[in-house]
Amino acid sequence: MNTFLVALAIIVVGGLLPLATYRNMAIAKGLYLGTTLFGCIFGLISLFSASANLHGLTWAWSWLHCFTLVFSCDSLSFFFLIPIFLICPLAAIYGFAYFDKTENSLRTAISFFCTNMLIVAMALVTVAANILSFALVWEMMSLSSYILVMYDYEKPETRTAGYLYFLFAQAGALLIFAAFGVAYSQTGELEFSKLALLPAEVKLIVFFLAFLGFGSKAGVFPLHVWLPHAHPAAPSHISAIMSGVMIKMGIYGILRMYAALATSDLRIGEAVLVFGMISGVLGVLYALGTHNLKKLLAYHSVENIGIILMGAGLGMIGVAKGNVTMAGFGFAGCLLHVLNHSIFKSLLFFGAGAVIKKAGTSHVDHLGGLMKRMPITGRTFLVGSVSISGLPPFNGFVSEFLVYFAAFQGLKYTHSTLLLAILAIISLAAIGGLASFCFTKVVGIVFLGEPRSQHAAEAREGGRLLTLPMTILAALCLAIGIFPQSFMDLAFAGLADMVRIGRVDAAIVESIGINLALASRLFLLIFVVVLTFRRLLYRNKVITKGPTWGCGFTQGTTRIQYTGSSFARSVVNFFRPFVIVRESKVLLEKIFPGKTEYFTRIEDIADIAMHRGLATPLLVLLGKFRWIQHGNVQLYIGYIIIAISVLLLASFF
C-alpha cells in the first residue's frame, strides 16, 4: 500500500465523518475540512515524491473472482492529478464558509460525502489502466456529481438541471462503453495497452465513439447543453470543482484514448481541431449575451474547452505530419491550459458565489458597485477575468501562446493543414478579443458603477475562509504568468509517455519560456510605474469623490447606467447568424408613455436543435406506441413470452 492510496483513503474517511456527526454542524464541518485538507495535501506530496518513478505506481485487485481491476500512473495521469489535489482542498475551505445554515446540516453532510467521493473517483479515473476499472470509477464520478448538482432539489430549475446532467452523462457513458465494446470485440483484452493492436479502420471508429462520449463530459459544442443549467444550480464551490476539474476528465479521456490507440491518422487531429474552434468561438459568444453570472461562466468553460481541444488537435496534426515542435507545443499548450483553466475558472466561480451569497442575485443587471463593498472579491475576480482573457502578466497568456506557436508551425504545410492552421490563429484571436470584451462587461456592470438594487448596496465582504481560496488562486495566476518556465516544463513532462515522435528541443522551450517571462514582467513593470506616477502626481492634491457615471445629470439615477444587454448589444448583433436573440418589444404609443421594460435573451442553437430537432420528434413518435402500456400485468407477461419466443425462433435461422 503506497502513500497515494493512503491519501485517497483519508479523503474517503473525510467524507464519512460528517455523515456520523451531522447533528453538530460545527464539529461535522471541522472534521470534514481537517481530513480533506490533510488527504489532498498528502496526495499531492506523495505524487511529487514518486514523480521520478511513476511507472512503479501500479495496483491490481481481483473483483467478483473473475475480473481484475488495474490502476497505474504515468506522466499523463500525473499531470491531471495536480489540479485535482490543488483545487479540491481550496473548494473544501470555501465550502466550510459557504454552508452556514444549520437547518440543512444533513444535506450539507451528504454534500461533503459526495464531494469527497467525486475527488476520489476523479483521481482513480486518471490512473485506471483497464476498461473495467475505468468504467466503474467513471460511473462513480458521474453519480456523485449528479447528487451534488441536486443540492437545492426543491427548486424546479435544479431538478431540470439534474435531469439534463444525468441524461448527458449517461448518454456519454454509453458512447464510451460502446467504444470499449468495439475494442474488446477485436482484441479480447481489457487493458488500454492492447488498443494499439486494433486495425486502423477500427481505431478510427473507437476514437470517434469515445470522443463523443468524453466530449459530452467535457462540454464540447454541441454536447455542452447540460453545462449552462448545471453550474447555476450547483453550490458555487461544486461548480468550481465541476468546471475547474471534473470536465477535464473528458479531456483526459480523449488524450488517453489517443495515446492508447497509438494512431497518427490526420483526420483525427483535424476533427478535434474543428470541434475546438467551434466550441471556443460559440462558447464565448453565448457568454457575451448571457445575464446570469454563473451561466455566463459556464459558457466560458465551453470556450476554454475549445482552446484546450485546439491545442490537442494541433498536437495530433503535428504527430501525423511528424513535426515534433508542432506536436509538442500543441499538446503542451493543451495541458498547461487544463491547469490554468482549473485555477482561474475556480477563482471566478468562487468570486461569483461570494457575490450571489452576499447580494442575493446572480443577474448582472441587478448588481453594481461591489468593488467598494467587496474589495477582495472584486480584485481577485478582476485577476481571474484578465487571466481567462489570455492577457499578460497572468497564466492564460502563457498557455494560449503555446497553442498559437503550434498553429504557426502549421503554416509551412499546404491544403487542409494550412487552411486549418490559419483558421486556428484567427479563432484564437477572436476568442481572446471576445473574452476580453465579455469580462469588461462583467467587471464593469457587477463591480463598478453604483448598486442597482438594495441587496447590492448592502452587500459586504465574506469571512476570511471565503476570501482565502480566491487570494491563493489569484496569486497562482500571477505566479504562472511571471515564472512560466517551471510550469511549461511540467506540461512538457506530462507528454513523456504520450507523444511517440520524440521530444521538443529543450533550447526552443527554454527560449520561449524566457521571452514569455520577460513580456509578463515588462507588462507588470509598466503597470507599477504608471500606478506610482499617478500617486506622485496626485500627492498633496484635493481629491473629491462623487457618484460614478453621472453623465452630466444633476440628479442621475442608477437606471441611466449601462446594462449587460446595452453593453454587449452591438457585438452580439454582429454575430446574429450564429446567435438567436429574443427581444421584448418597446412601443411608445403616447406622448407621455408609462413605464416600459425592455429585455433580451439569447437562445443556444444546440439546445434548440436537440429540443426541437431530436427530443420533440422522438416524443411524438414514442407517443404513438403508448397504447402498448395498459397497466395490465398479464399483458406484460404476454409481451415477455412473445419476445422470448421471437428470440428463440430467430436463433434457428
Side-chain angles (χ1 to χ4, degrees):
M1 179 73 69
N2 59 51
T3 51
F4 178 76
L5 293 181
V6 173
L8 295 188
I10 293 170
I11 295 170
V12 171
V13 172
L16 290 170
L17 287 175
L19 290 177
T21 57
Y22 76 91
R23 294 183 190 281
N24 189 325
M25 195 167 175
I27 293 176
K29 286 168 64 176
L31 288 172
Y32 169 75
L33 182 60
T35 47
T36 305
L37 280 179
F38 181 65
C40 288
I41 294 170
F42 193 54
L44 202 60
I45 292 171
S46 71
L47 199 63
F48 277 94
S49 62
S51 60
N53 185 26
L54 289 174
H55 295 286
L57 299 177
T58 302
W59 319 280
W61 296 283
S62 176
W63 186 53
L64 298 178
H65 303 292
C66 56
F67 299 112
T68 304
L69 303 181
V70 184
F71 298 90
S72 64
C73 192
D74 63 6
S75 63
L76 191 62
S77 310
F78 172 82
F79 190 88
F80 276 86
L81 282 167
I82 295 171
I84 295 173
F85 289 134
L86 180 67
I87 301 301
C88 293
L90 295 175
I93 297 172
Y94 188 91
F96 183 91
Y98 192 80
F99 289 138
D100 54 2
K101 294 180 180 175
T102 52
E103 63 269 24
N104 290 338
S105 60
L106 178 59
R107 191 185 303 194
T108 302
I110 293 171
S111 178
F112 284 154
F113 172 73
C114 290
T115 303
N116 282 22
M117 290 302 103
L118 177 61
I119 297 170
V120 172
M122 290 190 296
L124 290 176
V125 161
T126 61
V127 294
N130 70 6
I131 289 171
L132 198 62
S133 316
F134 191 93
L136 282 174
V137 291
W138 186 265
E139 282 299 285
M140 180 179 160
M141 179 178 73
S142 296
L143 289 174
S144 55
S145 53
Y146 166 73
I147 298 172
L148 290 170
V149 170
M150 294 292 287
Y151 181 80
D152 289 317
Y153 61 87
E154 65 274 11
K155 297 179 180 176
E157 59 270 22
T158 300
R159 293 197 293 273
T160 303
Y163 171 74
L164 269 176
Y165 175 62
F166 190 78
L167 189 68
F168 275 83
Q170 292 310 302
L174 283 175
L175 287 167
I176 295 167
F177 298 159
F180 290 165
V182 173
Y184 183 76
S185 68
Q186 295 288 317
T187 63
E189 300 283 350
L190 291 173
E191 283 72 27
F192 286 138
S193 57
K194 304 296 182 184
L195 296 183
L197 303 175
L198 290 170
E201 298 77 16
V202 180
K203 283 183 180 179
L204 209 58
I205 296 169
V206 169
F207 179 83
F208 281 112
L209 278 174
F211 177 78
L212 292 175
F214 289 123
S216 175
K217 180 66 73 182
V220 177
F221 190 93
L223 305 169
H224 69 286
V225 174
W226 63 272
L227 263 171
H229 296 275
H231 286 330
S236 293
H237 62 290
I238 300 302
S239 300
I241 292 177
M242 290 178 70
S243 180
V245 185
M246 192 195 73
I247 62 172
K248 308 303 187 321
M249 294 301 106
I251 299 296
Y252 169 80
I254 292 169
L255 295 178
R256 172 60 65 195
M257 287 302 289
Y258 177 77
L261 289 168
T263 178
S264 57
D265 195 316
L266 181 62
R267 290 170 291 182
I268 288 179
E270 290 179 341
V272 172
L273 179 57
V274 169
F275 270 102
M277 288 189 287
I278 294 171
S279 298
V281 174
L282 291 186
V284 71
L285 272 180
Y286 289 129
L288 198 54
T290 303
H291 308 308
N292 182 296
L293 191 53
K294 289 182 72 177
K295 193 171 184 179
L296 179 148
L297 294 178
Y299 274 120
H300 274 289
S301 293
V302 179
E303 170 224 329
N304 279 277
I305 287 295
I307 295 173
I308 291 167
L309 281 184
M310 287 171 70
L314 289 164
M316 293 171 186
I317 291 173
V319 171
K321 295 286 183 184
N323 186 330
V324 181
T325 306
M326 185 178 182
F329 275 91
F331 283 124
C334 163
L335 290 187
L336 191 54
H337 205 71
V338 165
L339 178 63
N340 287 340
H341 181 252
S342 71
I343 294 171
F344 56 64
K345 184 47 72 68
S346 301
L347 165 60
L348 291 169
F349 267 115
F350 288 158
V355 167
I356 294 167
K357 187 176 179 64
K358 295 298 176 182
T361 179
S362 59
H363 198 298
V364 294
D365 291 344
H366 297 166
L367 297 166
L370 294 180
M371 189 67 84
K372 299 171 190 169
R373 292 161 181 79
M374 304 175 69
I376 298 176
T377 302
R379 287 166 188 163
T380 53
F381 194 94
L382 180 61
V383 169
S385 302
V386 179
S387 302
I388 199 172
S389 302
L391 297 174
F394 296 104
N395 56 350
F397 168 69
V398 179
S399 49
E400 287 194 27
F401 185 87
L402 299 188
V403 180
Y404 266 116
F405 191 79
F408 275 103
Q409 296 297 313
L411 297 180
K412 64 178 69 172
Y413 298 104
T414 57
H415 306 302
S416 62
T417 304
L418 173 64
L419 178 64
L420 288 173
I422 293 171
L423 288 175
I425 294 166
I426 293 172
S427 299
L428 274 173
I431 291 167
L434 291 170
S436 303
F437 189 82
C438 186
F439 276 96
T440 303
K441 178 192 85 170
V442 176
V443 174
I445 303 297
V446 175
F447 291 100
L448 303 182
E450 295 297 324
R452 295 173 174 80
S453 65
Q454 189 63 31
H455 288 301
E458 294 172 355
R460 293 293 179 270
E461 193 67 88
R464 289 182 181 176
L465 288 180
L466 210 61
T467 55
L468 179 65
M470 292 185 266
T471 309
I472 293 172
L473 291 173
L476 272 174
C477 288
L478 186 61
I480 296 176
I482 295 177
F483 305 102
Q485 189 64 58
S486 302
F487 298 93
M488 285 173 58
D489 292 341
L490 193 65
F492 277 99
L495 307 177
D497 297 320
M498 183 183 169
V499 181
R500 305 169 303 282
I501 60 171
R503 295 192 176 188
V504 181
D505 187 352
I508 299 175
V509 178
E510 186 179 359
S511 168
I512 289 179
I514 291 170
N515 287 322
L516 284 173
L518 184 64
S520 294
R521 291 167 194 173
L522 189 62
F523 193 90
L524 186 63
L525 179 67
I526 292 170
F527 178 76
V528 171
V529 168
V530 170
L531 201 66
T532 307
F533 265 103
R534 182 182 180 277
R535 285 185 179 275
L536 289 174
L537 289 173
Y538 280 94
R539 192 176 58 176
N540 300 327
K541 291 184 178 178
V542 178
I543 301 173
T544 58
K545 293 183 179 180
T548 312
W549 292 346
C551 300
F553 286 85
T554 55
Q555 293 184 342
T557 70
T558 56
R559 294 176 58 201
I560 64 174
Q561 295 179 124
Y562 264 108
T563 63
S565 300
S566 58
F567 189 91
R569 183 175 181 178
S570 57
V571 177
V572 172
N573 282 342
F574 182 78
F575 290 98
R576 270 193 186 250
F578 305 101
V579 182
I580 300 172
V581 182
R582 304 292 184 196
E583 294 177 291
S584 66
K585 292 183 178 179
V586 179
L587 300 175
L588 302 179
E589 298 174 340
K590 301 177 184 177
I591 298 175
F592 299 102
K595 184 179 179 181
T596 58
E597 289 186 353
Y598 169 80
F599 68 88
T600 63
R601 64 184 171 87
I602 63 160
E603 292 191 353
D604 192 326
I605 55 173
D607 202 348
I608 293 172
M610 289 197 181
H611 186 255
R612 296 179 189 171
L614 181 64
T616 304
L618 190 62
L619 285 174
V620 171
L621 178 66
L622 294 177
K624 296 183 184 299
F625 294 97
R626 283 186 178 172
W627 56 269
I628 296 174
Q629 187 181 9
H630 290 275
N632 188 322
V633 176
Q634 289 87 346
L635 199 60
Y636 295 152
I637 294 172
Y639 291 158
I640 295 170
I641 294 171
I642 292 170
I644 293 172
S645 302
V646 170
L647 289 172
L648 287 173
L649 287 172
S651 65
F652 287 108
F653 295 98

